[in-house]
Amino acid sequence: MNLKSTIPKNSSKLENILIIGNGGRENSLAWIIQKNELVQKVFLIPGNAGSERINKCTRIKIDINNRKELVEKLDTLKIDLIIIGPEIPLANGLADFLRKNNFKVFGPGKDGAKLEYSKSWAKEFMQDANIPTANFWKVNSLEEAKKIINASPIPLVVKVDGLASGKGVFIPDSKDECLRAAELIFNGKFGKSGNVVVLEEKIQGPEVSVFILCDGKRYILLPSAQDHKRLNERDKGPNTGGMGAYSPAPLLTENCLNRIIQEIIEPTMDELNKKNIDYKGVIYFGLMITESGPKVIEYNCRFGDPECQTIMPLMNKNFVFLLEKCAMGNLTGQEIIDTSDKVSGCVIATSQGYPQEYKTGFPIKIGKIDSSNCQIFDSGTSLNKNGELLTDGGRVLSIVCQDKNFDLVFEKAYKNLKEINFDGMYFRNDIGHQVRKNFSREN
Ligand code: AMP
Ligand code: GLY
């Protein structure tokens, strides 16, 4: 990367950085941020067992919902910049609260986070701005849902309106399945999140994740990424949070990217301004490249996981300046991110049973890792009394490598994965199959 930005004006200090969140995403943000020599300490609330293996990083035990205590702690730590990783604190207005208390925050307020926490609101937002997306119906009751599902010649996608940890989207193959999904939601399976349901036309095409960093008025584009949502090889099995990713996604040709900018990104920025939403943070566009062009499947108000782990190693030590500029509203929009010399790929190792039930607490053995241009970011790990690393989540850790091409990237990632072991460890062997020239589809 070749960030032409220098140290931002008005940048008083960037000594103490706070990252909120406990996943691989937050560890990868900490890892790139600590590379800047101005940064003395990176605190994570709460982080995970992998956080303190990262240079300059310290975990803090504090309840972010106890806001008085939080502010006192952040004052004591003299925090210069706060990055909020996950959607839930953003949806709960944590960024607004911290900004009111005079902290510099990277992360949208509650108004901006609504792009993610209300799918119906996001669909109406897109409609208002004429942004290409699947046709939809917002419904408030099972009766209404039944009428639309029965009248539709094809099965519709059924979505919980509110946050549902990635589990609130149903892609039925028959009307019966559609009705069952709507019943499940309106019968309270997702609590308040399911008070409203969005029914959507099913669209088709490859998916890609596009990210912009916004300062409220201007934005810059990060390298795109391709996630692998399905649990099993050949993109089969249930949806997960993401089993691996690569970046950039060659699927996005220059022409396609220009269309995305003109038809999706710019109208999104204009609509945010029209609605007086001062969005300071990342917007994650989940896109589908259909026959008629790119369409938005969903917006998220945070970095993707594992896309973030994949993209961060392509950034340089000045990345923290971009986050700070967003927080301060002084991006020029001309900052250049040049990743032309390398590509990155990430494979996630999960616990047996994920994304359904799984057991935790298994010791993780890590052997001899070739760590040049390769990182291990823990997602769900903990330490026992003896300091041994244990599994502590569905997605346990990610291995991320960079090289000149994707064959070299995944060769190294899979070689290193052979050195990692825990009971029930599972990973897909075909991450990046779309871009690995040496990948044999007979595997
Ligand atoms: P979401 O949580 O909205 O990203 O949806 C999860 C996954 O469901 C997406 O990554 C798509 O694969 C799929 N999906 C969501 N909406 C649609 C749609 N309208 N048509 C086809 N697939 C969809
Ligand atoms: N990787 C998908 C997500 O973060 O939502």
Side-chain angles (χ1 to χ4, degrees), residues 25 227 229 241-242 284 298 300 302-307 395:
R25 170 181 52 205
D227 190 8
K229 288 216 163 104
Y284 162 176
E298 62 166 355
N300 293 303
R302 54 175 173 84
F303 287 103
D305 183 329
E307 292 98 322
R395 290 193 291 178

PDB file of all heavy atoms in Angstrom, residues 25 227 229 241-242 284 298 300 302-307 395, ligand 2:
ATOM      1  N   ARG A  25     -11.500 -10.258  13.609  1.00  0.00           N
ATOM      2  CA  ARG A  25     -11.540  -8.939  12.964  1.00  0.00           C
ATOM      3  C   ARG A  25     -10.805  -7.902  13.825  1.00  0.00           C
ATOM      4  O   ARG A  25      -9.947  -7.157  13.334  1.00  0.00           O
ATOM      5  CB  ARG A  25     -13.017  -8.549  12.812  1.00  0.00           C
ATOM      6  CG  ARG A  25     -13.254  -7.134  12.389  1.00  0.00           C
ATOM      7  CD  ARG A  25     -14.745  -6.844  12.283  1.00  0.00           C
ATOM      8  NE  ARG A  25     -15.488  -7.212  13.475  1.00  0.00           N
ATOM      9  CZ  ARG A  25     -16.789  -7.503  13.486  1.00  0.00           C
ATOM     10  NH1 ARG A  25     -17.482  -7.441  12.383  1.00  0.00           N
ATOM     11  NH2 ARG A  25     -17.392  -7.816  14.609  1.00  0.00           N
ATOM     12  N   ASP A 227     -15.789 -13.588   0.243  1.00  0.00           N
ATOM     13  CA  ASP A 227     -16.016 -14.421   1.436  1.00  0.00           C
ATOM     14  C   ASP A 227     -16.443 -15.816   0.965  1.00  0.00           C
ATOM     15  O   ASP A 227     -16.798 -15.991  -0.207  1.00  0.00           O
ATOM     16  CB  ASP A 227     -17.152 -13.756   2.234  1.00  0.00           C
ATOM     17  CG  ASP A 227     -17.346 -14.352   3.615  1.00  0.00           C
ATOM     18  OD1 ASP A 227     -16.531 -15.174   4.045  1.00  0.00           O
ATOM     19  OD2 ASP A 227     -18.350 -13.972   4.255  1.00  0.00           O
ATOM     20  N   LYS A 229     -19.172 -18.282   2.406  1.00  0.00           N
ATOM     21  CA  LYS A 229     -20.141 -18.353   3.509  1.00  0.00           C
ATOM     22  C   LYS A 229     -20.533 -19.776   3.879  1.00  0.00           C
ATOM     23  O   LYS A 229     -20.877 -20.051   5.023  1.00  0.00           O
ATOM     24  CB  LYS A 229     -21.399 -17.576   3.136  1.00  0.00           C
ATOM     25  CG  LYS A 229     -21.182 -16.065   3.153  1.00  0.00           C
ATOM     26  CD  LYS A 229     -22.414 -15.320   3.639  1.00  0.00           C
ATOM     27  CE  LYS A 229     -22.081 -13.910   4.039  1.00  0.00           C
ATOM     28  NZ  LYS A 229     -22.485 -12.902   3.084  1.00  0.00           N
ATOM     29  N   GLY A 241     -20.671 -17.702   9.430  1.00  0.00           N
ATOM     30  CA  GLY A 241     -20.185 -16.322   9.454  1.00  0.00           C
ATOM     31  C   GLY A 241     -19.149 -16.080   8.362  1.00  0.00           C
ATOM     32  O   GLY A 241     -18.855 -14.944   8.010  1.00  0.00           O
ATOM     33  N   GLY A 242     -18.573 -17.148   7.827  1.00  0.00           N
ATOM     34  CA  GLY A 242     -17.520 -17.019   6.805  1.00  0.00           C
ATOM     35  C   GLY A 242     -16.406 -18.011   7.107  1.00  0.00           C
ATOM     36  O   GLY A 242     -15.906 -18.046   8.227  1.00  0.00           O
ATOM     37  N   TYR A 284     -19.908  -1.672   4.655  1.00  0.00           N
ATOM     38  CA  TYR A 284     -19.627  -2.956   4.012  1.00  0.00           C
ATOM     39  C   TYR A 284     -20.820  -3.241   3.120  1.00  0.00           C
ATOM     40  O   TYR A 284     -21.939  -3.400   3.596  1.00  0.00           O
ATOM     41  CB  TYR A 284     -19.435  -3.969   5.128  1.00  0.00           C
ATOM     42  CG  TYR A 284     -19.535  -5.448   4.858  1.00  0.00           C
ATOM     43  CD1 TYR A 284     -19.275  -6.327   5.892  1.00  0.00           C
ATOM     44  CD2 TYR A 284     -19.857  -5.996   3.624  1.00  0.00           C
ATOM     45  CE1 TYR A 284     -19.352  -7.703   5.721  1.00  0.00           C
ATOM     46  CE2 TYR A 284     -19.930  -7.363   3.437  1.00  0.00           C
ATOM     47  CZ  TYR A 284     -19.686  -8.202   4.490  1.00  0.00           C
ATOM     48  OH  TYR A 284     -19.786  -9.545   4.314  1.00  0.00           O
ATOM     49  N   GLU A 298     -27.038  -6.682   1.063  1.00  0.00           N
ATOM     50  CA  GLU A 298     -27.167  -6.107   2.401  1.00  0.00           C
ATOM     51  C   GLU A 298     -26.083  -5.073   2.630  1.00  0.00           C
ATOM     52  O   GLU A 298     -25.042  -5.090   1.974  1.00  0.00           O
ATOM     53  CB  GLU A 298     -27.041  -7.193   3.469  1.00  0.00           C
ATOM     54  CG  GLU A 298     -25.683  -7.870   3.444  1.00  0.00           C
ATOM     55  CD  GLU A 298     -25.370  -8.708   4.665  1.00  0.00           C
ATOM     56  OE1 GLU A 298     -26.152  -8.727   5.614  1.00  0.00           O
ATOM     57  OE2 GLU A 298     -24.296  -9.337   4.660  1.00  0.00           O
ATOM     58  N   ASN A 300     -23.674  -3.608   5.820  1.00  0.00           N
ATOM     59  CA  ASN A 300     -23.265  -3.778   7.212  1.00  0.00           C
ATOM     60  C   ASN A 300     -22.525  -2.521   7.637  1.00  0.00           C
ATOM     61  O   ASN A 300     -21.896  -1.853   6.803  1.00  0.00           O
ATOM     62  CB  ASN A 300     -22.351  -5.001   7.374  1.00  0.00           C
ATOM     63  CG  ASN A 300     -23.111  -6.294   7.099  1.00  0.00           C
ATOM     64  OD1 ASN A 300     -24.117  -6.575   7.731  1.00  0.00           O
ATOM     65  ND2 ASN A 300     -22.636  -7.065   6.146  1.00  0.00           N
ATOM     66  N   ARG A 302     -19.979  -2.337   9.683  1.00  0.00           N
ATOM     67  CA  ARG A 302     -18.733  -2.805  10.301  1.00  0.00           C
ATOM     68  C   ARG A 302     -17.905  -3.517   9.239  1.00  0.00           C
ATOM     69  O   ARG A 302     -18.390  -3.770   8.147  1.00  0.00           O
ATOM     70  CB  ARG A 302     -19.108  -3.796  11.404  1.00  0.00           C
ATOM     71  CG  ARG A 302     -20.003  -4.875  10.776  1.00  0.00           C
ATOM     72  CD  ARG A 302     -20.388  -6.007  11.636  1.00  0.00           C
ATOM     73  NE  ARG A 302     -21.350  -6.842  10.949  1.00  0.00           N
ATOM     74  CZ  ARG A 302     -21.057  -7.797  10.080  1.00  0.00           C
ATOM     75  NH1 ARG A 302     -19.792  -8.050   9.775  1.00  0.00           N
ATOM     76  NH2 ARG A 302     -21.997  -8.495   9.491  1.00  0.00           N
ATOM     77  N   PHE A 303     -16.669  -3.834   9.605  1.00  0.00           N
ATOM     78  CA  PHE A 303     -15.855  -4.656   8.704  1.00  0.00           C
ATOM     79  C   PHE A 303     -16.396  -6.083   8.702  1.00  0.00           C
ATOM     80  O   PHE A 303     -16.920  -6.562   9.710  1.00  0.00           O
ATOM     81  CB  PHE A 303     -14.404  -4.712   9.191  1.00  0.00           C
ATOM     82  CG  PHE A 303     -13.638  -3.441   8.992  1.00  0.00           C
ATOM     83  CD1 PHE A 303     -13.386  -2.586  10.053  1.00  0.00           C
ATOM     84  CD2 PHE A 303     -13.138  -3.100   7.738  1.00  0.00           C
ATOM     85  CE1 PHE A 303     -12.661  -1.417   9.883  1.00  0.00           C
ATOM     86  CE2 PHE A 303     -12.408  -1.930   7.553  1.00  0.00           C
ATOM     87  CZ  PHE A 303     -12.170  -1.088   8.627  1.00  0.00           C
ATOM     88  N   GLY A 304     -16.218  -6.791   7.575  1.00  0.00           N
ATOM     89  CA  GLY A 304     -16.579  -8.203   7.519  1.00  0.00           C
ATOM     90  C   GLY A 304     -15.553  -9.039   8.263  1.00  0.00           C
ATOM     91  O   GLY A 304     -14.393  -8.650   8.407  1.00  0.00           O
ATOM     92  N   ASP A 305     -15.990 -10.165   8.722  1.00  0.00           N
ATOM     93  CA  ASP A 305     -15.110 -11.126   9.373  1.00  0.00           C
ATOM     94  C   ASP A 305     -15.341 -12.449   8.655  1.00  0.00           C
ATOM     95  O   ASP A 305     -16.469 -12.948   8.695  1.00  0.00           O
ATOM     96  CB  ASP A 305     -15.502 -11.210  10.858  1.00  0.00           C
ATOM     97  CG  ASP A 305     -14.604 -12.128  11.662  1.00  0.00           C
ATOM     98  OD1 ASP A 305     -14.095 -13.098  11.087  1.00  0.00           O
ATOM     99  OD2 ASP A 305     -14.433 -11.882  12.874  1.00  0.00           O
ATOM    100  N   PRO A 306     -14.468 -13.011   7.889  1.00  0.00           N
ATOM    101  CA  PRO A 306     -13.005 -12.846   7.867  1.00  0.00           C
ATOM    102  C   PRO A 306     -12.444 -11.899   6.800  1.00  0.00           C
ATOM    103  O   PRO A 306     -11.235 -11.911   6.571  1.00  0.00           O
ATOM    104  CB  PRO A 306     -12.540 -14.263   7.553  1.00  0.00           C
ATOM    105  CG  PRO A 306     -13.583 -14.792   6.605  1.00  0.00           C
ATOM    106  CD  PRO A 306     -14.879 -14.181   7.062  1.00  0.00           C
ATOM    107  N   GLU A 307     -13.272 -11.072   6.178  1.00  0.00           N
ATOM    108  CA  GLU A 307     -12.699 -10.182   5.155  1.00  0.00           C
ATOM    109  C   GLU A 307     -11.663  -9.222   5.763  1.00  0.00           C
ATOM    110  O   GLU A 307     -10.638  -8.926   5.141  1.00  0.00           O
ATOM    111  CB  GLU A 307     -13.801  -9.363   4.470  1.00  0.00           C
ATOM    112  CG  GLU A 307     -14.758 -10.184   3.602  1.00  0.00           C
ATOM    113  CD  GLU A 307     -16.037 -10.524   4.331  1.00  0.00           C
ATOM    114  OE1 GLU A 307     -15.972 -10.816   5.545  1.00  0.00           O
ATOM    115  OE2 GLU A 307     -17.110 -10.502   3.700  1.00  0.00           O
ATOM    116  N   ARG A 395     -15.940 -20.325  15.338  1.00  0.00           N
ATOM    117  CA  ARG A 395     -14.780 -20.036  14.504  1.00  0.00           C
ATOM    118  C   ARG A 395     -13.626 -19.826  15.479  1.00  0.00           C
ATOM    119  O   ARG A 395     -13.683 -18.937  16.342  1.00  0.00           O
ATOM    120  CB  ARG A 395     -15.042 -18.807  13.656  1.00  0.00           C
ATOM    121  CG  ARG A 395     -16.088 -19.109  12.574  1.00  0.00           C
ATOM    122  CD  ARG A 395     -16.170 -18.043  11.521  1.00  0.00           C
ATOM    123  NE  ARG A 395     -16.723 -16.794  12.020  1.00  0.00           N
ATOM    124  CZ  ARG A 395     -16.866 -15.702  11.291  1.00  0.00           C
ATOM    125  NH1 ARG A 395     -16.505 -15.705  10.021  1.00  0.00           N
ATOM    126  NH2 ARG A 395     -17.380 -14.610  11.802  1.00  0.00           N
TER     127      ARG A 395
HETATM  128  N1  GLY B   2     -18.188 -12.366   6.465  1.00  0.00           N
HETATM  129  C1  GLY B   2     -19.519 -11.928   6.571  1.00  0.00           C
HETATM  130  C2  GLY B   2     -19.767 -10.960   7.628  1.00  0.00           C
HETATM  131  O1  GLY B   2     -18.884 -10.479   8.295  1.00  0.00           O
HETATM  132  O2  GLY B   2     -20.931 -10.615   7.817  1.00  0.00           O
END
